[in-house]
């Protein structure tokens, strides 16, 4: 009863604070639902996260006289730092993974340096033959959960891995072939997955915590080749061949490949994206296929409101000890930008691990992560309410600083939380992000 009362009070406080408008027009300064790492434009990778050269890193380079050379080379150097804290009211003690079902906010009552990122990007000119590329390098506690096979994953089998680690999230070249109005983009290297509404880069999400779909239903990255082309001004298509879910320098199934693709439509306030991945993914198995279907629908009726629904369904012919495996779920989001200082968001989710292959009670948190684990077939539900606060929206550098408080309630129809003793858990979280 105390937990429920606390949730209701905190949620009401956040909503009330967000709906009290300040004087002056709204600037839409809340964290955008549009992922930074995802490539959903008609011509992929023809827009950088920031091209104004006024973010802190580029401003420092400008002072050093390097702005013109960077502009001439179409280079942009940027990054961010994120740190966070989560309190679980159940006070769980589960070893490495204290907040069960969580990934980046896995630690209870301990501050985390989640990610310190530095990125270098060159955007190709879509009007001619040109070469671009991007590299995203992070350090922090998030890195330990997203390593691809054979790349910075040397601590995966450690009994007590270091909390903060390095990871090369993306490293690719991007070739433009001047065909049609948008150009044909050929991306080769390691890149983040197309699927899912939430992303690794915290500046592309509205909450500190991630939904169960991000944590358990999807891959993080791929290594391969991805072609992107704009069929019309509203419709784009992507097709690619990769080494599989979270594979890099090594492949877990004798270099068997999978296929991924996307069909994206944007028209007025509506955006619809359909993604798929299919191919063999299990260790030492190149015959049995896993197929994931992912749909993201967004509606932005005005500058204040944005609504998003993300649905996923996955099927694997030999993913569980008894044979086939399925998992599926849906997450819905609503964000209201109150003014240039604050936006408030809500997220509701249902995730079904039908055959107990994704949510594991022991060992690593993912089915692909190795280690000894016990899976449970169960339904998982979560409800999250939070805010994104920009305290200094009018300051040259202060506008890149955000604070995001949230409160979250998780429920499972089996005892999955607090060392498999509880059906539910309640957490409050807070992170701070500074874009550089």
């Amino acid at each position: 009863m105390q937990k429920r009362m606390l949730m209701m009070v905190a949620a009401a406080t956040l909503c009330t604070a967000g709906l009290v408008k300040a004087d002056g027009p709204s600037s839409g300064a809340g964290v955008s639902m549009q992922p930074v790492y995802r490539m959903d434009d008609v011509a992929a990778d023809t827009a950088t996260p920031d091209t104004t050269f006024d973010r802190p890193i580029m401003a420092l380079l400008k002072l050093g006289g390097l702005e013109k050379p960077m502009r001439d080379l179409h280079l942009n150097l940027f990054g961010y730092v994120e740190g966070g804290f989560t309190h679980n009211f159940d006070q769980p003690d589960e070893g490495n993974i204290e907040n069960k079902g969580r990934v980046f906010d896995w630690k209870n009552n301990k501050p985390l340096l989640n990610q310190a990122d530095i990125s270098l990007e060159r955007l190709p000119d879509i009007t001619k033959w040109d070469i671009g590329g991007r590299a995203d390098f992070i350090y922090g506690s998030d890195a330990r959960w997203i390593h691809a096979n054979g790349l910075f994953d040397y601590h995966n089998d450690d009994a007590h891995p270091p909390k903060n680690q390095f990871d090369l999230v993306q490293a690719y070249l991007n070739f433009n072939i001047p065909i049609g109005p948008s150009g044909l983009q050929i991306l080769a290297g390691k890149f983040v997955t197309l699927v899912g509404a939430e992303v690794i880069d915290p500046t592309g999400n509205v909450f500190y915590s991630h939904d169960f779909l991000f944590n358990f239903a999807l891959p993080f990255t791929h290594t391969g080749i991805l072609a992107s082309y704009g069929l019309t001004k509203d419709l784009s298509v992507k097709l690619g061949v990769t080494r599989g879910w979270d594979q890099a320098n090594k492949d877990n199934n004798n270099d068997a490949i999978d296929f991924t693709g996307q069909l994206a439509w944007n028209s007025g306030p509506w955006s619809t994206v359909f993604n798929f991945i299919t191919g063999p993914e299990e260790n030492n198995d190149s015959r049995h296929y896993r197929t994931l279907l992912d749909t993201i629908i967004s509606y932005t009726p005005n500058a204040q409101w944005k609504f998003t629904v993300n649905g996923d369904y996955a099927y694997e012919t030999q993913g569980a000890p008894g044979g086939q495996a399925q998992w599926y779920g849906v997450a819905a989001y609503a964000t209201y930008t109150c003014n240039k200082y604050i936006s408030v968001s809500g997220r509701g989710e249902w995730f079904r691990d039908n055959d107990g292959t994704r949510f594991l009670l022991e060992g690593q948190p993912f089915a692909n992560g190795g280690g000894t684990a016990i899976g449970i077939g169960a339904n998982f539900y979560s409800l999250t309410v939070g805010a994104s606060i920009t305290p200094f929206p009018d300051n040259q550098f202060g506008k890149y600083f955000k604070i995001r408080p949230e409160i979250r309630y998780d429920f499972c129809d089996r005892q999955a939380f607090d060392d498999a003793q509880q059906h539910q858990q309640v957490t409050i979280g807070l992170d701070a992000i500074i874009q550089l």
Side-chain angles (χ1 to χ4, degrees):
M1 180 63 70
Q2 290 179 343
K3 293 178 183 177
R4 292 178 183 174
M5 289 296 296
L6 181 59
M7 284 182 59
M8 294 173 61
V9 171
T13 301
L14 286 172
C15 292
T16 303
L19 295 174
V20 177
K21 297 205 173 197
D23 294 335
S26 170
S27 68
V31 174
S32 171
M33 291 287 286
Q34 177 64 28
V36 173
Y37 275 166
R38 196 193 321 285
M39 297 160 285
D40 285 342
D41 294 330
V42 170
D45 288 358
T46 57
T48 184
D50 191 289
T51 57
T52 59
F53 286 79
D54 67 342
R55 282 169 58 165
I57 291 179
M58 295 305 295
L60 288 174
L61 293 177
K62 181 178 180 179
L63 290 176
L66 297 176
E67 178 187 22
K68 187 177 186 306
M70 294 288 284
R71 285 186 182 274
D72 291 344
L73 294 172
H74 305 289
L75 289 174
N76 194 10
L77 185 66
F78 53 93
Y80 57 84
V81 177
E82 179 203 22
F85 178 87
T86 301
H87 173 73
N88 190 320
F89 289 97
D90 286 321
Q91 294 294 307
D93 182 14
E94 302 185 56
N96 273 340
I97 308 166
E98 297 171 8
N99 299 320
K100 199 63 182 176
R102 307 295 185 81
V103 180
F104 295 167
D105 58 333
W106 55 280
K107 199 72 174 171
N108 179 47
N109 278 344
K110 296 287 180 64
L112 295 174
L113 170 62
N114 290 99
Q115 298 183 35
D117 168 273
I118 188 70
S119 299
L120 179 65
E121 182 179 45
R122 185 187 189 277
L123 299 173
D125 187 337
I126 65 172
T127 66
K128 64 181 182 180
W129 293 86
D130 201 8
I131 300 177
R134 178 164 172 167
D136 299 289
F137 195 74
I138 71 168
Y139 174 78
S141 60
D142 293 356
R144 62 185 291 182
W145 308 115
I146 63 172
H147 296 312
N149 192 16
L151 188 64
F152 289 96
D153 62 347
Y154 34 79
H155 289 298
N156 276 8
D157 296 326
D158 291 356
H160 301 285
K163 183 168 64 175
N164 295 322
Q165 300 180 22
F166 291 98
D167 193 65
L168 185 62
V169 181
Q170 297 194 113
Y172 61 76
L173 293 176
N174 194 10
F175 305 88
N176 183 73
I177 303 172
I179 300 174
S182 67
L184 173 64
Q185 302 273 314
I186 306 294
L187 184 151
K190 183 173 185 273
F191 53 92
V192 295
T193 188
L194 298 172
V195 300
E198 299 190 8
V199 291
I200 296 170
D201 182 346
T203 67
N205 304 311
V206 293
F207 294 106
Y208 175 40
S209 68
H210 284 272
D211 60 13
F212 290 124
L213 295 179
F214 177 88
N215 295 351
F216 301 111
L218 316 172
F220 293 120
T221 60
H222 306 272
T223 302
I225 299 174
L226 184 69
S228 307
Y229 185 70
L231 300 174
T232 69
K233 67 181 181 65
D234 298 324
L235 188 65
S236 67
V237 63
K238 295 178 175 65
L239 289 173
V241 178
T242 82
R243 306 192 77 179
W245 289 34
D246 302 306
Q247 306 300 308
N249 296 343
K250 298 178 183 178
D251 196 340
N252 64 346
N253 52 19
N254 301 317
D255 295 323
I257 62 172
D258 70 6
F259 302 92
T260 187
Q262 179 186 95
L263 187 65
W265 173 76
N266 295 275
S267 181
W270 289 96
S271 171
T272 302
V273 180
F274 173 75
N275 302 297
F276 77 89
I277 308 171
T278 187
E281 307 294 350
E282 292 291 341
N283 289 331
N284 303 314
D285 184 346
S286 59
R287 297 185 301 112
H288 297 98
Y289 270 48
R290 177 189 299 170
T291 299
L292 170 65
L293 304 177
D294 171 75
T295 302
I296 307 166
I297 301 174
S298 296
Y299 176 58
T300 310
N302 50 51
Q304 280 71 46
W305 283 102
K306 180 162 188 177
F307 304 92
T308 300
V309 177
N310 178 206
D312 291 295
Y313 172 79
Y315 173 82
E316 194 164 21
T317 56
Q318 192 67 34
Q324 68 179 18
Q326 298 181 77
W327 57 93
Y328 39 87
V330 61
Y333 306 77
T335 295
Y336 181 75
T337 300
C338 308
N339 49 58
K340 62 185 178 181
Y341 294 98
I342 188 169
S343 66
V344 293
S345 299
R347 175 182 64 200
E349 181 192 14
W350 164 64
F351 173 63
R352 170 69 180 175
D353 183 12
N354 197 65
D355 300 286
T357 58
R358 308 307 295 175
F359 190 102
L360 308 180
L361 293 181
E362 298 177 2
Q364 300 290 334
F366 311 118
N368 288 347
T372 302
I374 300 173
I376 58 172
N379 293 287
F380 298 86
Y381 306 88
S382 72
L383 179 63
T384 310
V385 177
S388 177
I389 303 167
T390 306
F392 314 107
D394 299 319
N395 182 270
Q396 179 183 0
F397 298 140
K399 62 185 177 182
Y400 296 116
F401 175 67
K402 294 185 184 298
I403 302 171
R404 300 187 301 184
E406 69 169 54
I407 184 166
R408 173 168 170 167
Y409 173 71
D410 296 331
F411 177 82
C412 180
D413 57 9
R414 296 186 63 181
Q415 291 180 321
F417 307 112
D418 193 9
D419 202 18
Q421 299 181 66
Q422 301 290 336
H423 286 276
Q424 61 188 7
Q425 65 180 359
V426 179
T427 61
I428 55 173
L430 175 72
D431 76 334
I433 305 170
I434 177 69
Q435 292 180 264
L436 304 174

